[in-house]
């Protein structure tokens, strides 16, 4: 159940990030860095969302 909620959240995050990058291209580094940190933390601690 948590996996499907996580999968439906990723497209929304990607859409918001894409719009922000189009509006303010300098945000690209920060958005990518934050995304990678979140994915890394969730990968190391998979039970964090439970």
């Amino acid at each position: 159940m948590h996996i499907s909620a996580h999968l439906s959240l990723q497209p929304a995050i990607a859409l918001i990030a894409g719009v922000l990058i189009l509006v303010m291209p300098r945000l690209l580094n920060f958005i990518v860095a934050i995304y990678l940190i979140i994915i890394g933390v969730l990968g190391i601690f998979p039970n964090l969302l439970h």
Side-chain angles (χ1 to χ4, degrees), residues 4-19:
S4 64
H6 183 62
L7 290 178
S8 64
L9 187 61
Q10 282 183 340
I13 292 172
L15 181 64
I16 292 169
V19 170

Side-chain angles (χ1 to χ4, degrees), residues 16-36:
I16 292 169
V19 170
L20 286 174
I21 291 168
L22 280 176
V23 173
M24 301 178 71
R26 285 189 257 173
L27 283 178
L28 178 62
N29 291 336
F30 294 108
I31 291 172
V32 170
I34 290 170
Y35 177 77
L36 291 174

Side-chain angles (χ1 to χ4, degrees), residues 32-46:
V32 170
I34 290 170
Y35 177 77
L36 291 174
I37 290 169
I38 291 172
I39 295 302
V41 168
L42 291 178
I44 293 171
F45 304 107

